Structure formats: C-alpha cells, structure tokens
Amino acid sequence: MIRLEHVALRVGVPDASGRGWSTRTLLHDLHLDLPERRVAFVGSNGSGKSTLLRLLNGLATPTEGRVCVDGLDPATDGPRVRRHVGFVFTDPASQLVMPTPVEDVELSLRRTHRDRRARREAALALLASRGLADVAEQSIYDLSGGERQLVALTAVLAVEPAVLVLDEPTTLLDLRNRNLLHRTLAELPQQTVVATHDLGLAGQAERVVVVDAGRIVADGAPTETLAFYERVMA
Amino acid sequence: MNAARALLGVHVPGDTLWHRLGPGPKYLVFLALTVPALVVGTPPVILTLLALTLALVATTSAPLRLAWGLPWPLALVLAVLGAFHALTGAPATGVRVVGVVLIALYACRILLLTTPMPVLVDALVAVVRPLSHLGADPERFGLAVAVFLRSVPHVVASFGEVRDAARARGVERNPLALVTPVAIQTVAYARTTGEALTARGLGDPDESSAATMTP
Ligand SMILES: Nc1ncnc2c1ncn2[C@@H]1O[C@H](COP(=O)(O)OP(=O)(O)O)[C@@H](O)[C@H]1O
Ligand SMILES: [Mg+2]
C-alpha cells in the first residue's frame, strides 16, 4: 500500500527582485492512503501531479512528513524502492537509452540475466508479448509515438516492479494509441498510479484524486470526482 | 535526423568481416588509424590515412550516406577551422587539425556501425572490471558511454531544429539565437535522461546475487 503522511514539499525559488531566494510550497500537507489497485491523479498543469508522483520512487523527497510504499521509504531506501516501483514518463524518447527496443529492454535485464544470449531472448519475448516483435530491432527514431511508449513500458515492466507509476502516459499519443495504452494498462497485474489529463484513462481508475495548487480538492470514485473536476476546473 | 543519427554511427546489421570481429580488434584498428595521424601529422600521412579510413568505413555494409555523411554543423565548423589555418598561412596545420578529427570520427564509425550496443557495453564493462576493487563501477561506466553515444544525435538534431526555428523568425544570423536554445535543450535532455536512468534503477549499486555480469 502507498501512504503519504502529512507530506509537504517546498523549494527555494529566486524571488521577484532577482537577488534573494524565497520559499515556494509545491505540495501542502498531503495525507493519503492508497490501497486501491488503480489510482489516478488529475489536475491542471502545474498543480503538482508530477511532483507528487516523483515522491513515490524517491525522485523527489518531502520537506516534511513521510512517504511509504509497501513498507519502503523512498527517501532512505532508494535502490530497493526503484526496483519495486516502475516509473513511466510522458515522453518515451527521454527514457529510452539504447538505439533499438530490444537493446533497451536488454538493458533492464542486465541485473537478472547474466548470459547475453539468454538476455536477448528474454527481451525479444517480452517485446513480442506486447505486439512489438516486428519493431524490436528497428531504430527507436523510426517507431511511432505509440510504439515508443509501449517500448518504454515494456522496458520498465521487464524488471517486474510491484507498483507502476505513470506521468501523463497518453498526453503525446493519438486516439488509437491512447486506447491501446488504456487497454494495456487495464490488464496489468501491478498496482498503477497515473497522473493524467486523459479523462478516459482516469475513468478506468477505482479512485480519482483531484489536485489543485498542491492540495487535494476532491477524492473518491471516478464518476463523482471527475464530474467535480469538469465542473470546477473547466 | 538522418545525418544527426549518423554522426558516430548507429549499428547497421550485416555479415562483413567487421561484424564478425570482436570490439577489441576493432578498437586496435581505431588506434592504428588515429595514433599515426596524431603522432606524424604531415599532410601526406594525414591524407593517406583519411583515404584509407574512408575506404575501410565503406566496407561496413552501411549505406555510404551513413558511412561518409557529415552533419552540417560539424562540416561547417571543420570548414571554418581549415579556412582559418589556410588563410593565416598554415595550411599544413589546417590539414592536420581537420584531418585528425575526420580520421577519428570515421575510424570510430567502423566500430560503432558494426557493433551492437549491448556487445559494446559488455566489452567496456569487461575492460573496467579489473578496476572495480579501486572503487570503479564497471556497469555504470558502460552505461555512461552508452548514454553519451545516444546523446550525440540529440544534440546535433536540436541544432537542426533550432536553425529551422531561427529561420522562421528571421534571426538565423544571430549566433546567440542558435546557441542558447541548443544549450537549454541539451541541459533539459541531460536532466530528463538522468531522471529516467535513476527511475529505472540503472545507476544503482548492485546488491543482488547477479552482481557480476559475464561479458
Ligand atoms: N524543482 C522545482 N523548483 C521550483 N519549482 C518547481 C520545481 N518542480 C516543479 N516546480 C513547480 O511546481 C509546480 C508543480 O509542478 P508539477 O508537479 O510538474 O505539476 P504538474 O505535473 O501537475 O503539471 C509548477 O508550478 C512547477 O513550475
Ligand atoms: Mg506533470
């Protein structure tokens, strides 16, 4: 289970005069228990969704309070948390490191597969299981946006994380690829936490949390919270 | 994007002698081409080595466009360098400076065009492994080189995009209008890549039983 205990996050920013620094609060006293298997965060640009997700795998650490993911604290247990929590970014181009999909998935498997040939076969099998067999050895530059996002997802899932966090995974996708990703995510056994502007994706969740200016303004079943979100934010 | 991708060479599968050779021998070829150019450096030696390197890189089965092509920003910089030396009365220096860069670049392509990245990373990891008791982390080193090679086309491509954008605004003659956005994009790219690597746990020390990887 994911738990945020009175988490606040503040950063120093240059103040208006440009000479001194002032403090800006990105997240205000968040207190959340997230036992649901499908959780979505929605909110306008700059509301703090990414910052919140980054707390879950230690990319960001709270200034106050504590984060706990299945008993692990991302602030003190970084490497174990990162193996436990997979993270998919909006732009797959920034997280694919290798020139081809199969090589990138192989990179994920270096820890678990010592033998190069076995590693390659395992990587090819994982790509094939997501319908990516045909593009496994193409340059990642030549893939469509949807294929690239699926490759990024495959590379992250290759290490079998228990929790999957996705930051606006469909924002750069067209309608068809968006729907494909919705179906793919719906079938995952992992607990998934997404931040999204895609109300279709948020609607698949069991629980939707609406964030505004670093605070939680609604929290509950998707029908009510998304109705609130559309009424208040649009 | 194609010229950008090809700066250092993306692996092109094939069945040439180069593809069958391991990274080690290919690295020796790289040294055999670049070291004499650096040490001797007279125009006849440079030009001979450059011709030889160009001939060798053409035998990698990569299309000549990929094997010989140069992205325009690099071609421009080299042309300016060569012209500067020629005009200031040192044409031999111009040949040496430009020639050594080109020989190193094309010799590097022989290795990179014919070696899949995982093989290259494994080879680097194996080379660094003896240093691991001095505190070096071979996996990290291999990863760093892979990430560096991957970043080169990004930076070159962002030059192309930024030039187009500057042209659209009619400011392409202002060097700042070119350099500033490229610098910003490069830093942004480095940050997002760094975060993505961290998130994937790729920079983390290895504590599992599969701590060492056989090359
Ligand atoms: N390291 C930082 N320093 C200063 N401000 C930041 C930092 N990270 C994010 N912010 C600011 O915090 C706010 C929330 O950002 P973010 O979490 O990315 O929002 P969202 O993902 O909901 O669009 C934004 O106004 C952003 O500019
Ligand atoms: Mg965001």
Side-chain angles (χ1 to χ4, degrees), chain A residues 9-191:
Chain A
L9 199 149
R10 287 184 280 274
V11 290
V13 289
D15 64 19
S17 71
R19 258 169 270 136
W21 290 80
S22 55
T23 306
R24 203 175 139 203
T25 306
L26 304 186
L27 299 174
H28 299 263
D29 193 40
L30 301 183
H31 197 71
L32 275 176
D33 275 339
L34 302 170
E36 291 82 4
R37 214 162 62 84
R38 301 281 181 250
V39 180
F41 286 95
V42 298
S44 10
N45 290 326
S47 56
K49 301 181 299 296
S50 300
T51 309
L52 202 160
L53 295 188
R54 292 151 52 87
L55 291 169
L56 303 181
N57 72 341
L59 281 177
T61 41
T63 322
E64 257 168 50
R66 215 173 75 92
V67 178
C68 185
V69 181
D70 296 330
L72 300 168
D73 182 346
T76 55
D77 220 356
R80 275 176 68 197
V81 170
R82 287 191 281 272
R83 238 166 290 160
H84 192 80
V85 182
F87 202 105
V88 175
F89 294 82
T90 310
D91 182 5
S94 63
Q95 66 180 311
L96 295 172
V97 185
M98 290 291 179
T100 62
V102 64
E103 287 167 325
D104 203 80
V105 177
E106 276 182 68
L107 181 65
S108 289
L109 296 173
R110 283 183 78 82
R111 248 179 240 283
T112 47
H113 292 63
R114 294 148 156 263
D115 177 63
R116 191 193 292 151
R117 193 159 301 165
R119 199 158 71 209
R120 186 170 190 87
E121 264 163 35
L124 286 170
L126 285 171
L127 286 164
S129 73
R130 304 234 166 264
L132 295 164
D134 291 343
V135 297
E137 309 201 27
Q138 270 180 33
S139 161
I140 54 162
Y141 292 109
D142 298 333
L143 305 184
S144 72
E147 288 165 340
R148 242 182 257 168
Q149 190 58 286
L150 279 182
V151 172
L153 183 66
T154 309
V156 169
L157 291 176
V159 295
E160 301 178 0
V163 179
L164 186 67
V165 177
L166 306 101
D167 192 358
E168 299 193 26
T170 57
T171 299
L172 301 178
L173 301 184
D174 63 20
L175 192 57
R176 170 188 294 178
N177 284 303
R178 204 172 278 197
N179 289 335
L180 174 62
L181 197 71
H182 289 183
R183 287 196 300 276
T184 310
L185 295 179
E187 284 163 13
L188 293 179
Q190 276 87 359
Q191 181 182 22

Side-chain angles (χ1 to χ4, degrees), chain A residues 141, chain B residues 1 4-5 72-73 151-166 177-187 189:
Chain A
Y141 292 109
Chain B
M1 197 53 177
R5 240 160 75 186
W72 72 266
S151 70
V152 172
H154 262 270
V155 176
V156 178
S158 85
F159 255 108
E161 280 164 27
V162 165
R163 181 191 50 170
D164 291 346
L178 288 177
V179 172
T180 315
V182 170
I184 291 172
Q185 284 187 16
T186 305
V187 171
Y189 172 76

